[in-house]
Amino acid sequence: MPDECVFCRIVAGEMPGDIVYQDEGFVAFRDISPQAPVHILVIPKMHIDSSADLTDEQQDLAGRLIIIARNLAEKEGIADRGYRLVINCRSEGGQQVPHLHLHLIGGRKLSGGLG
Ligand code: AMP
Ligand code: ZN
């Protein structure tokens, strides 16, 4: 794990995180700078730089990210109204933290734009 990776440090318990879900392979925590009433990041514990770095063998891992987000949306009470799932990838995708993460954003009406 890259020592400087902020999300690996949250996984390792070396940095505080408002963790809302955890299992063997994944952690979900509230975004430090929320863009909506619900803004949660779902990450694999394993360090993967970005969606571009996923291998074909990680298909289940990629699917599991979405299922965890679906479950959290239910738990947060936003599933019926709807929400947005976002993965930013590398520089032109606006990725700031180079550890794969899925944003679960909701709890208000979101704008239609995708940037
Ligand atoms: P992205 O632009 O897709 O890489 O998103 C990175 C997200 O991580 C941003 O929404 C940040 O607010 C969030 N973030 C950065 N550091 C932390 C942290 N220590 N705890 C929780 N969220 C963080
Ligand atoms: Zn990492």
Side-chain angles (χ1 to χ4, degrees):
M1 114 187 175
D3 285 345
E4 72 284 3
C5 175
V6 62
F7 288 177
C8 280
R9 296 190 66 204
I10 290 173
V11 169
E14 294 169 6
M15 246 192 88
D18 186 356
I19 292 171
V20 294
Y21 174 82
Q22 182 149 206
D23 66 24
E24 215 173 81
F26 298 85
V27 182
F29 49 90
R30 294 195 192 278
D31 196 290
I32 205 167
S33 175
Q35 303 301 304
V38 175
H39 189 170
I40 292 170
L41 303 175
V42 187
I43 71 168
K45 286 184 173 174
M46 172 195 295
H47 182 91
I48 299 167
D49 281 341
S50 75
S51 58
D53 299 290
L54 284 165
T55 65
D56 288 354
E57 288 67 40
Q58 288 168 326
Q59 180 168 315
D60 286 353
L61 178 151
R64 183 77 186 135
L65 271 185
I66 295 179
I67 296 300
I68 291 169
R70 178 204 65 181
N71 293 343
L72 287 169
E74 280 283 347
K75 203 170 145 200
E76 295 284 323
I78 59 170
D80 287 350
R81 284 181 288 155
Y83 52 85
R84 185 168 294 164
L85 300 180
V86 176
I87 295 177
N88 296 322
C89 179
R90 295 184 174 168
S91 66
E92 289 202 359
Q95 186 178 6
Q96 288 168 3
V97 178
H99 180 131
L100 174 63
H101 52 281
L102 175 65
H103 295 257
L104 165 62
I105 304 164
R108 67 168 168 82
K109 175 75 178 159
L110 299 168
S111 72
L114 282 175

